[in-house]
Amino acid sequence: QVQLVESGGGLVQPGGSLRLSCAAPTLDLDLLDIGWFRQAPGREREGVSCISGDDGDTNYAETVKGRFTISRDNAKNTVHLQMNSLRPEDTAVYYCAGDIRGNTRRCVPTDYSRGVWGQGTQVTVSS
């Protein structure tokens, strides 16, 4: 049962930007640790960025540091992932996940496996 909804994916040229959103129609996201994960064809799902539910601590994969920013909009019950300077290797399906006991420091999919996930949104970076 999907309880998170991702949006904002699409086709963008290298160097471009996209902002992904993760919304929760029936959950309070500010109570959860939230992570953004991605999976490219033929590859395992990997952590992109995570944000803590209690202190707002954030973490980023080395490959996206300085280019991506995760943030909360508690008024809209939404978590965003701003992606700048996109590269072809960022092409993947992006998923958001929430867990009351996620792990922001590790930011790996298995730590959110008992939580809630969205169905994903496709991001394609190509000229």
Side-chain angles (χ1 to χ4, degrees):
Q1 182 178 359
V2 174
Q3 298 189 55
L4 301 181
V5 180
E6 302 96 339
S7 63
L11 173 64
V12 64
Q13 292 186 342
S17 298
L18 286 174
R19 189 176 79 156
L20 304 184
S21 297
C22 175
T26 60
L27 296 172
D28 288 328
L29 286 185
D30 59 352
L31 300 177
L32 303 178
D33 296 326
I34 301 295
W36 281 99
F37 305 93
R38 67 186 181 186
Q39 188 165 18
R43 301 189 64 176
E44 292 187 355
R45 193 170 296 187
E46 62 178 2
V48 176
S49 182
C50 291
I51 186 166
S52 172
D54 52 8
D55 59 9
D57 190 24
T58 59
N59 192 17
Y60 297 90
E62 286 296 326
T63 55
V64 307
K65 276 185 180 178
R67 301 188 296 124
F68 291 11
T69 303
I70 191 170
S71 63
R72 292 182 180 271
D73 184 343
N74 290 335
K76 295 183 178 180
N77 199 34
T78 302
V79 174
H80 298 294
L81 183 69
Q82 178 67 41
M83 307 188 296
N84 299 328
S85 302
L86 282 161
R87 304 167 180 169
E89 53 264 40
D90 294 318
T91 296
V93 178
Y94 283 70
Y95 302 88
C96 66
D99 196 308
I100 197 167
R101 293 179 180 175
N103 191 319
T104 298
R105 285 185 177 273
R106 279 164 42 95
C107 197
V108 295
T110 51
D111 287 342
Y112 294 75
S113 61
R114 294 172 296 178
V116 292
W117 287 74
Q119 288 188 315
T121 184
Q122 176 70 47
V123 171
T124 302
V125 185
S126 175
S127 55

